[in-house]
Amino acid sequence: MVQMRAYRLREGLQRVEINGYPLPLGIVPRDGVIPVEGFTLDYNAGQDDDPDTYLFTVAVAHDRLPDFLERAWQFLPDRVTPLLEIGSRDAYRTVDVFIGKDSIDKDDFLSGWASYDTFLLEDGSIAAGANAEEPFVEVFVDQFKRVLIHVPLAMRDDVEALLTSYGIEEVPLTWPDQPVMSDDESAEEPVSLRPILQIEDEFSPDIDELLLQLRQLWPLELNIDPTANVDAEGRPLGLTLWHAVVILRGSENEDEVGAYAAVWATAGSIVEMEGLIRQALDVFPGLEYEAIYTIDRVAYDERPDELSDLPPRPESAQIHLISIDPWAEPTSE
C-alpha cells in the first residue's frame, strides 16, 4: 500500500459566510447565489424488487456539519459499501464514480472518514459516503456538502426526529440546482471551486494522492466496465489514447527507492491499458509496479508534442512513450 502522507490546508483562505451560513473553504458561490439551511424531501417509488424510499437532502451550516453527520451515520447498518465521486480528467466523462469492491464494517469506513474528514468536508470537488442494501440506506455528502439521507419509508420518522433536534426545517430549495444566469445572459454554475490543499513541494500530497489513499483504504474501484471502452452515453469508442501515471517501488522493498512512470499508450480498455503498462515496466531493473496513480483517456488533439506524428487511429494497442521520474535510485549490487 502507498505510504500515507499527511495533508495540510492552504493558509489564509477566508471562509465565505452568507446570511450567517458558513460554507466549506473550497466553495465560493456566484453573485446572487444564496444557500439556505434546511432540507428537501423526495419520494422515490421502488423499481422491480427495490423498496420505496425517501430522500432527504439536508443543507447544514458548516460549523454544525461534522456533528450532524456523526448522528446521520447512525442510520447505516453494521456493513456498508463506501462511495466516492470526483470530477474527472477523462476526455469522455465528467465524473469519476468509485464504489467499494465489497462491503466493509461500518467502523472501518468511519475510521477512514475520520482520517480525511477535513478534506472531505472542505473540498468542493469531491463527494463521498456509504450505503447498504439490507435495509437500503445511504448517507452521502455531495459536492455542496449537503447530507443526502436515503432511507426506507419506515425510517422517515427517525430522520425527521434528527432534523427537528437540530432545528432544521423543510425548505423549497437549499442550493440552486441549475446554472445561474449572469449579467451577459450566459449560464454559469452556481459555485466556483478553489483548491484547499497546501502544495509546497513534491512531498506535499495533492488531491490525486489523497484519492489514491482513499481508494486503497476503503477499498474502491472505478464504476465502469474495465473490459470495455465507451463514452458517457455508452457508445463504443474502440481504441483511444490513454495517459497513466504509475507508482513504482524498489524491488527490495526499500521505502526510500521508487519512481513515477508516465505512460502514453493506445488501448481499448483499462484492462488492456494496465496489461500494456505492466509489460512495458518489466524492463526497468530494480523497480516494480505498485499502483496506478492516475489513468485517463485523452483526446487526440491533447496529445503531447512528442506524439505529434501519432496517427489519429492507430491500428493496434501499443505503448507510445514512457518517462521515469525516480525519487531515489535503486541500489546496485
Side-chain angles (χ1 to χ4, degrees):
M1 177 177 287
V2 174
Q3 185 177 3
M4 176 176 168
R5 298 191 294 184
Y7 66 89
R8 292 197 301 119
L9 300 186
R10 286 173 56 197
E11 299 175 358
L13 283 180
Q14 297 297 312
R15 189 180 305 280
V16 176
E17 184 171 321
I18 299 177
N19 294 343
Y21 183 98
L23 303 179
L25 287 173
I27 293 180
V28 179
R30 300 289 186 186
D31 290 343
V33 173
I34 302 176
V36 176
E37 183 172 79
F39 75 92
T40 60
L41 177 61
D42 295 289
Y43 170 80
N44 297 310
Q47 302 294 323
D48 300 324
D49 295 330
D50 294 334
D52 298 342
T53 58
Y54 285 115
L55 173 61
F56 292 82
T57 301
V58 188
V60 184
H62 193 269
D63 55 346
R64 301 206 298 165
L65 178 57
D67 184 68
F68 178 84
L69 189 57
E70 184 175 350
R71 296 274 302 277
W73 294 133
Q74 296 176 18
F75 294 124
L76 292 168
D78 292 338
R79 299 284 296 181
V80 301
T81 300
L83 310 167
L84 186 146
E85 296 180 3
I86 191 168
S88 180
R89 284 188 299 262
D90 191 277
Y92 301 99
R93 63 176 176 268
T94 58
V95 177
D96 288 340
V97 178
F98 295 88
I99 297 179
K101 296 179 181 179
D102 298 293
S103 64
I104 62 175
D105 287 342
K106 181 171 73 171
D107 288 346
D108 291 336
F109 165 74
L110 293 178
S111 175
W113 183 280
S115 298
Y116 294 87
D117 59 348
T118 301
F119 166 64
L120 292 168
L121 295 181
E122 297 282 14
D123 194 288
S125 66
I126 197 166
N131 68 17
E133 293 186 359
E134 293 294 339
F136 179 78
V137 176
E138 181 170 295
V139 180
F140 187 80
V141 182
D142 73 1
Q143 173 195 12
F144 297 111
K145 308 311 168 188
R146 298 177 299 189
V147 182
L148 279 55
I149 305 175
H150 207 163
V151 296
L153 303 188
M155 293 179 64
R156 174 176 176 173
D157 290 347
D158 298 328
V159 179
E160 289 185 338
L162 172 62
L163 297 171
T164 299
S165 71
Y166 279 81
I168 299 173
E169 300 179 348
E170 188 168 5
V171 296
L173 190 66
T174 56
W175 280 86
D177 53 6
Q178 299 291 333
V180 178
M181 299 304 295
S182 63
D183 292 339
D184 62 0
E185 298 186 352
S186 62
E188 294 182 337
E189 293 300 318
V191 303
S192 61
L193 305 181
R194 59 182 178 183
I196 66 165
L197 295 176
Q198 185 75 27
I199 307 297
E200 297 175 334
D201 52 38
E202 61 182 316
F203 301 105
S204 301
D206 59 12
I207 194 168
D208 287 321
E209 181 167 334
L210 296 188
L211 177 59
L212 175 61
Q213 293 173 10
L214 286 165
R215 283 165 42 203
Q216 295 184 333
L217 182 65
W218 271 337
L220 303 165
E221 59 186 4
L222 194 60
N223 187 31
I224 63 170
D225 180 352
T227 66
N229 194 24
V230 298
D231 65 12
E233 284 72 42
R235 295 173 295 207
L237 297 172
L239 295 173
T240 53
L241 183 63
W242 297 70
H243 176 254
V245 176
V246 182
I247 296 175
L248 305 176
R249 288 289 185 184
S251 302
E252 302 301 323
N253 294 320
E254 301 168 280
D255 289 339
E256 69 277 9
V257 175
Y260 292 106
V263 183
W264 289 88
T266 292
S269 68
I270 278 189
V271 166
E272 187 169 50
M273 180 65 178
E274 290 182 345
L276 290 171
I277 290 171
R278 288 177 179 273
Q279 183 178 5
L281 294 177
D282 279 345
V283 303
F284 293 94
L287 294 171
E288 293 181 350
Y289 172 97
E290 176 165 315
I292 295 287
Y293 190 58
T294 64
I295 184 167
D296 300 288
R297 296 168 297 184
V298 181
Y300 177 75
D301 291 343
E302 298 299 322
R303 68 195 187 283
D305 292 341
E306 294 90 334
L307 300 181
S308 59
D309 294 333
L310 183 71
R313 297 188 178 279
E315 297 180 355
S316 62
Q318 56 188 289
I319 296 287
H320 303 301
L321 182 66
I322 296 179
S323 58
I324 303 293
D325 181 16
W327 61 71
E329 295 292 340
T331 57
S332 57
E333 299 295 335

